[in-house]
Amino acid sequence: GGTGVSVAVRKAAALAASAAHQHPSYSHSNGNSNRGDRGDIGGGGGGGHSHGYGSPMTAAAATDVLVCARGGGGLLSERLGLAAELWAVGVRAEVVPTVAPSGTEQYEHAAQRGARYMVTLDGALLSAGERVRIKSLAGGAESYVPRQEVVELLRATLSGTPR
């Protein structure tokens, strides 16, 4: 029910806060942060961001990735699982704290939190071949990648190191 989800989201937020404290390089402004110079998912190509590391948004409010769902009843366990994998490698990730958020809710949440990327788990795509959509919110570039490559691709892109 809703109460269990609320508890899970609070626990997830506590884990994310803990990960941010363990990886301080992800919580400060950095003029050389990845500006999307990787052709695969970066977009932007070095232009300014309206959000992300260089914005006036506080570090406590910023996030790198919003893990979203399309179809499949919200795919809550899948969203939380991917977010946990991203936290484990130092990526600031979040999920919308509802069981089955609408597309509008997810985009609004990404904008409010300053997300740089949206990773969308699609129920049909997951069952048909485990592909996940990664969209750069800075430049709009998007790509579909195998689910097992998402974490490493985002970690490498956000840290500015090659895969």
Side-chain angles (χ1 to χ4, degrees):
T3 303
V5 170
S6 179
V7 171
V9 170
R10 281 197 303 271
K11 286 181 180 179
L15 286 171
S18 174
H21 290 290
Q22 292 173 8
H23 300 282
S25 64
Y26 288 99
S27 61
H28 71 279
S29 181
N30 175 349
N32 293 322
S33 66
N34 180 12
R35 297 280 186 207
D37 52 332
R38 291 176 53 91
D40 45 4
I41 62 170
H49 285 288
S50 60
H51 48 67
Y53 290 135
S55 76
M57 180 173 293
T58 64
T63 192
D64 292 318
V65 177
L66 181 67
V67 180
C68 303
R70 180 173 177 212
L75 302 170
L76 181 62
S77 63
E78 290 86 349
R79 287 187 291 139
L80 288 172
L82 179 53
E85 290 177 43
L86 290 165
W87 299 331
V89 298
V91 173
R92 295 177 302 176
E94 293 185 21
V95 298
V96 176
T98 58
V99 174
S102 70
T104 301
E105 288 174 307
Q106 293 175 110
Y107 272 101
E108 288 174 353
H109 189 88
Q112 290 169 354
R113 302 295 291 163
R116 296 171 63 189
Y117 295 95
M118 285 180 73
V119 175
T120 303
L121 303 170
D122 183 311
L125 290 177
L126 282 174
S127 63
E130 294 286 321
R131 302 212 49 93
V132 175
R133 182 179 78 155
I134 300 177
K135 180 173 182 156
S136 167
L137 296 179
E142 65 180 59
S143 61
Y144 288 84
V145 300
R147 166 63 180 87
Q148 65 270 16
E149 295 178 16
V150 171
V151 173
E152 179 56 24
L153 176 62
L154 285 167
R155 186 210 56 79
T157 300
L158 290 165
S159 70
T161 59
R163 289 197 280 175

